[in-house]
Amino acid sequence: MGRSKRSHGKRTPKTSSPRTTPPAASAPAAPQGRALWWIPLGVALLVLIALGAWWLREPSGSAEHAATAAVSSPAPPPAVTAAPAMPPAHYVGTASCAGCHQAEAQAWRQSHHAQAMQVAGAGTVLGRFDGGSLKKDGSTASFLKRGDTYVVKTDGPDGKPGEFEVKYTFGVYPLQQYLVAFPDGRLQALRTAWDARPAAEGGQHWFNIYPGEHIDAHDTLHWTRLNQNWNYMCADCHSTNVQRNYDAVANTFKTSWNELNVACEACHGPGSRHVAWVNGDATQRKADPSQGLTIALNERQGIHWIPNPVTGNPARSAPLASHREVETCAVCHSRRNIIARDTAPTGRLMDTHDPTLLVEGRYHADGQQLDEVYVYASFLQSRMYAKGVTCSDCHDPHTGKTRAEGNALCESCHTPKVYDTAAHTMHREGTPGSQCVACHMPAKNYMVINARPDHSIRVPRPDLTVKYGVPNACANCHADKGAQWAADAIEKAHGPERKGYQHFVEALDAGRQGKPGAADLLFALAADSTSPVIARATAVNALQHYPSQAAVPTLQAALGDADPLMRAAALDALAAFPTRVRGPLAAPLADDPVLDVRIKAGRALAAVPDTELDPGQRAARDRAFAAYVQAQQAIADRPESHYDLGVVYVERGDTADAEQAFRHALRLQPDFVPAYVNLADMYRGMGREDDAARVIDEGLAAVPGNASLLHAKGLSLVRQNRPADALEWLRRACEAQPDNARFAYVYGVALHTSGQDAQARKVLETALQHAPYDPSLLYTLAGMAHDAGDTEKAREYAQRLVAVAPRSPDAQQLLQSLGGESGVR
């Protein structure tokens, strides 16, 4: 199972501050005179800093001003004509399909899809259950067989050794996992898996999915706990028509499926209408040109690729008019979140799922795969996707195998005389480096042994490794030579202008790090029609970190874009803007034709008060918010759903509902840190400091060394007027997560307030090495340097601050007070 396709990450999410959107009124006014650097260092700011330092990036109130600047709402997305009403389809089973489609059925029976999940038995279990054991990473698993039953003896949910019957096999190659059934309807994936590769390739043995990690029964990754739960994490992509049937009151499952494996209707949709069409008379058939198919996977029908012998590149004989096939495959071959109770494909991914963009932690800044992200968002970056290539151009959809082996697959479209030459590959024919995929689709291992090619299909760019630290394919074989050597070699062979299709790394890297000019780079990428939409949407999404009047036109354009990825990304970004800005902008998308967009509109509109909306907009808000709540209820077995609802309820002032939601999240996962932090912060906002302190202590009892909870404890003690005690907790938080600029900033301010100026500067300067563009650190260090009599150093910090926040009057005033010129008017 490894990491899920859900975007919940491997560990409990880190939360540096309560997840609330700061109201513009909370931004401190720019101090005057010498006090410019003194007031932000006061202990009182320890409470305010939890609201963030976005105010330093733009003039105070500029995001509010954007509300009056945004006089027009975005153009609504193109209307979708409703299809004629059809009778509801139901699943008929593989046997019904195979009666007519015998060749396809036979090809499918040999596929990994057909073996995705099977009842454990002599013909399906690949691992050796012969009494052997695996002792690794602090745990022991023994593999036994009693009659026809396969048993694993290992540590159970209480941490004590127990025997567990294997009910199902999960996957087949290059590894096979095993599922254990529990009385509450859960199926759980054992940590130990079988390496199904031949012994000559290093296989035929047991191994741990998370090597080198000590995972006990208290860890969320323990095989009996939430993040190894088959019902949510895996089921819908390994079986057909999975219905989780989760009971939120009893916290149990009664999960059902039509077929245990990935069968015909998992991709084509329920087949009853097609069977009826086949059995109908000529008149009935003529009346239904769709042939009764739920999803018409016919985009390649009658299409061929026309070669260009000069360039070596082909052209599609007709433009691709839709993306049904790619989005059908993407339901499982993507990193995404569930947003609907029924997760079966519809031909439109965003009617059932919310796809992950090219965000930090999932992808490198140039879009290469980092975490286990599968294929979809990578492929969307490719020139192939832009030219109309679909999955089945390269992959046989029934066997699951590529249509040809090695370079022959690429040469089915690309002219060998142009590309399959030593001049192009820079490697001798027949060597590993002469293979197209070695350079253009470098693979990375996931689940320890599963090598997965990067489907962004890019030109190797070791020059970007030199500049941005992203990986490059050359290093897979030439790591000893270095990136500069590889960049020079490629430039010598192919010239300096061969840069490839993906050219968005500068903007995404700047946006992630807060570099000078980041916002303008993101604006430009968002508007660049030559860049992949997935990259443009990522740039729009990143504007939530740069809320300003200047960002509004970019968001307006994205909200009216024809691609739902752009509209959804803009709605995410709007969460960082005041309600008077996001209300009028988001309201028109409450009735968007795409479910994911409607849900995000509900999130953006949730806390917008009646006074800021007209009657029609209020009704739109309520419809969209209902869709948002329904989407969270669809995954009620996850703590994230209740946590997200809790955050929204706080924003709406529904503190009773918020408290219930946060507590529900903690019942599902007692070590879910964000729920503790945000529940405590809600109590703080209500003046219930004793309750806030109690919740933080509950969290620390569950997760003793968590940096966010240590930090929250320190802030709570500050509010209790116990600054000396607070210092120790703030120090521990800073040391537990030394790369967190906010934690370092708060600790440094507290040290300064207590008179420990030298130590404060040391802490802040160390933090600046991790976060060289953080406005709070630069602002504070400038003030400290000035107070220490080092005007030159203070001016240097102020100049760096102005470079990061050129439109901020606070930053400019600071620099001018130190005798510097900002150069910004």
Side-chain angles (χ1 to χ4, degrees):
M1 180 157 62
R3 295 182 182 87
S4 166
K5 295 177 174 64
R6 330 298 183 201
S7 295
H8 297 309
K10 181 180 175 185
R11 294 289 185 188
T12 299
K14 295 177 181 177
T15 302
S16 59
S17 61
R19 181 178 165 181
T20 53
T21 302
S26 68
Q32 303 296 319
R34 187 179 182 280
L36 184 66
W37 43 78
W38 179 258
I39 290 180
L41 303 181
V43 174
L45 192 63
L46 287 175
V47 177
L48 291 176
I49 55 86
L51 298 174
W54 60 269
W55 54 275
L56 267 175
R57 297 193 184 278
E58 294 292 339
S60 296
S62 65
E64 286 246 29
H65 177 69
T68 57
V71 294
S72 61
S73 298
V80 176
T81 303
M86 300 286 286
H90 60 267
Y91 289 79
V92 297
T94 297
S96 293
C97 304
C100 294
H101 303 285
Q102 296 177 11
E104 290 81 1
Q106 182 57 34
W108 165 80
R109 290 188 185 100
Q110 312 306 313
S111 72
H112 289 182
H113 279 166
Q115 304 170 74
M117 184 170 169
Q118 302 174 93
V119 175
T124 60
V125 173
L126 302 180
R128 284 199 291 265
F129 285 76
D130 56 3
S133 298
L134 177 70
K135 296 181 180 180
K136 207 83 170 176
D137 305 321
S139 66
T140 300
S142 301
F143 309 93
L144 315 167
K145 188 178 180 186
R146 296 198 176 98
D148 293 330
T149 302
Y150 296 83
V151 176
V152 176
K153 184 177 182 180
T154 190
D155 50 306
D158 58 359
K160 298 177 181 179
E163 292 191 353
F164 302 93
E165 178 184 351
V166 171
K167 285 287 188 181
Y168 302 99
T169 65
F170 203 63
V172 62
Y173 190 88
L175 67 152
Q176 186 175 70
Q177 292 180 271
Y178 300 95
L179 301 178
V180 172
F182 283 81
D184 58 4
R186 284 172 168 79
L187 292 179
Q188 299 290 137
L190 287 155
R191 177 185 184 182
T192 310
W194 178 254
D195 187 335
R197 299 174 301 168
E201 297 179 15
Q204 299 300 299
H205 63 89
W206 295 102
F207 71 99
N208 278 341
I209 292 291
Y210 300 101
E213 295 191 46
H214 184 87
I215 298 175
D216 61 22
H218 301 289
D219 195 307
T220 190
L221 275 180
H222 190 263
W223 76 271
T224 62
R225 293 199 62 193
L226 201 64
N227 282 356
Q228 297 299 323
N229 170 245
W230 165 89
N231 307 71
Y232 172 81
M233 304 290 280
C234 322
D236 55 346
C237 283
H238 283 256
S239 300
T240 302
N241 189 29
V242 170
Q243 302 296 322
R244 292 197 307 281
N245 297 324
Y246 174 70
D247 184 331
V249 176
N251 192 22
T252 58
F253 288 93
K254 292 183 179 179
T255 302
S256 65
W257 55 82
N258 276 76
E259 296 187 76
L260 188 56
N261 53 15
V262 180
C264 311
E265 293 163 292
C267 301
H268 293 279
S272 62
R273 289 202 302 255
H274 180 61
V275 171
W277 180 86
V278 169
N279 294 328
D281 58 30
T283 301
Q284 291 171 319
R285 290 190 182 196
K286 187 176 180 180
D288 183 4
S290 74
Q291 301 181 3
L293 294 167
T294 305
I295 306 173
L297 300 175
N298 58 358
E299 292 164 327
R300 293 178 67 247
Q301 187 174 333
I303 293 296
H304 59 280
W305 290 88
I306 304 169
N308 183 325
V310 177
T311 65
N313 296 322
R316 204 173 192 269
S317 58
L320 183 64
S322 71
H323 295 288
R324 284 190 305 276
E325 181 186 308
V326 170
E327 295 198 20
T328 295
C329 298
V331 166
C332 288
H333 296 276
S334 69
R335 187 72 175 252
R336 76 291 189 276
N337 284 318
I338 290 172
I339 59 172
R341 288 191 184 278
D342 190 345
T343 59
T346 65
R348 288 203 311 190
L349 175 65
M350 294 176 69
D351 276 342
T352 53
H353 297 83
D354 175 33
T356 299
L357 299 175
L358 309 182
V359 294
E360 190 170 12
R362 302 288 186 242
Y363 295 86
H364 293 283
D366 66 341
Q368 291 188 75
Q369 60 185 5
L370 173 60
D371 199 14
E372 191 174 18
V373 291
Y374 308 93
V375 172
Y376 176 67
S378 297
F379 186 52
L380 261 59
Q381 302 171 51
S382 71
R383 189 189 298 273
M384 308 299 173
Y385 177 81
K387 295 295 184 181
V389 173
T390 66
C391 307
S392 63
D393 276 309
C394 299
H395 301 268
D396 184 300
H398 298 105
T399 66
K401 297 178 181 178
T402 55
R403 293 188 179 275
E405 294 295 322
N407 286 358
L409 177 63
C410 304
E411 290 165 5
S412 63
C413 287
H414 296 280
T415 306
K417 290 183 179 180
V418 176
Y419 289 109
D420 201 357
T421 67
H424 176 76
T425 67
M426 302 169 59
H427 292 81
R428 293 191 309 275
E429 184 179 352
T431 62
S434 70
Q435 292 297 300
C436 305
V437 295
C439 296
H440 299 293
M441 298 180 70
K444 181 177 179 179
N445 273 20
Y446 296 98
M447 301 181 76
V448 186
I449 61 172
N450 190 1
R452 300 179 191 167
D454 190 319
H455 278 67
S456 57
I457 316 175
R458 62 184 62 234
V459 169
R461 292 291 305 274
D463 59 309
L464 297 183
T465 305
V466 175
K467 191 170 182 179
Y468 298 104
V470 296
N472 70 87
C474 306
N476 290 342
C477 298
H478 304 288
D480 58 322
K481 301 288 189 179
Q484 189 62 60
W485 170 88
D488 293 342
I490 288 178
E491 182 171 331
K492 181 178 179 181
H494 294 289
E497 300 305 320
R498 191 170 181 272
K499 302 301 184 183
Y501 182 65
Q502 300 90 353
H503 49 267
F504 46 79
V505 61
E506 181 184 15
L508 296 191
D509 179 73
R512 291 178 178 189
Q513 299 191 49
K515 289 182 177 180
D520 289 336
L521 287 168
L522 293 171
F523 299 157
L525 174 55
D528 181 7
S529 61
T530 67
S531 285
V533 168
I534 187 79
R536 296 174 58 210
T538 304
V540 172
N541 180 275
L543 292 177
Q544 63 188 285
H545 305 299
Y546 301 89
S548 70
Q549 178 183 351
V552 171
T554 297
L555 295 182
Q556 283 180 299
L559 290 167
D561 197 278
D563 196 301
L565 278 174
M566 293 287 283
R567 304 198 296 274
L571 288 164
D572 279 339
L574 276 178
F577 287 73
T579 56
R580 276 182 282 180
V581 177
R582 64 179 187 257
L585 291 177
L589 283 85
D591 298 308
D592 194 276
V594 177
L595 177 60
D596 196 19
V597 178
R598 297 197 297 275
I599 289 167
K600 290 177 184 287
R603 176 63 183 90
L605 291 165
V608 179
D610 286 353
T611 55
E612 295 176 8
L613 300 172
D614 63 36
Q617 291 172 332
R618 283 179 221 147
R621 175 201 60 195
D622 295 344
R623 287 193 302 274
F625 182 61
Y628 176 80
V629 172
Q630 190 173 31
Q632 302 309 313
Q633 292 171 343
I635 53 170
D637 48 317
R638 293 294 306 186
E640 294 88 353
S641 69
H642 302 279
Y643 166 73
D644 287 343
L645 284 172
V647 170
V648 176
Y649 288 141
V650 170
E651 293 179 11
R652 291 167 64 91
D654 300 334
T655 54
D657 287 342
E659 182 176 32
Q660 183 178 5
F662 289 138
R663 285 297 182 188
H664 197 141
L666 292 171
R667 285 196 297 275
L668 291 174
Q669 185 177 331
D671 57 0
F672 192 70
V673 171
Y676 288 113
V677 173
N678 281 267
L679 177 58
D681 189 65
M682 185 189 79
Y683 286 147
R684 174 201 61 77
M686 298 169 67
R688 295 167 56 181
E689 189 59 50
D690 288 346
D691 288 332
R694 188 158 41 250
V695 168
I696 294 168
D697 288 341
E698 287 176 23
L700 285 167
V703 197
N706 182 268
S708 294
L709 289 167
L710 295 171
H711 181 75
K713 177 72 172 180
L715 291 179
S716 176
L717 290 169
V718 168
R719 295 191 295 269
Q720 296 172 49
N721 199 27
R722 296 167 57 187
D725 294 334
L727 267 180
E728 173 62 15
W729 291 92
L730 296 174
R731 177 191 65 77
R732 290 174 60 187
C734 188
E735 292 177 355
Q737 198 173 332
D739 60 347
N740 189 303
R742 177 56 49 79
F743 294 170
Y745 168 66
V746 174
Y747 180 44
V749 168
L751 285 168
H752 170 82
T753 305
S754 69
Q756 303 179 56
D757 286 2
Q759 181 62 17
R761 289 186 66 175
K762 181 179 179 180
V763 167
L764 296 175
E765 287 167 353
T766 300
L768 197 63
Q769 295 175 13
H770 293 290
Y773 310 107
D774 186 270
S776 298
L777 296 176
L778 291 169
Y779 191 88
T780 307
L781 281 167
M784 286 186 173
H786 180 274
D787 285 354
D790 192 346
T791 304
E792 183 177 348
K793 191 67 174 177
R795 190 179 301 118
E796 176 190 330
Y797 286 129
Q799 288 170 339
R800 290 171 63 180
L801 176 62
V802 168
V804 172
R807 299 182 182 91
S808 167
D810 299 311
Q812 293 180 43
Q813 185 180 354
L814 172 61
L815 180 58
Q816 290 165 7
S817 71
L818 294 169
E821 285 292 331
S822 70
V824 178
R825 296 290 183 267

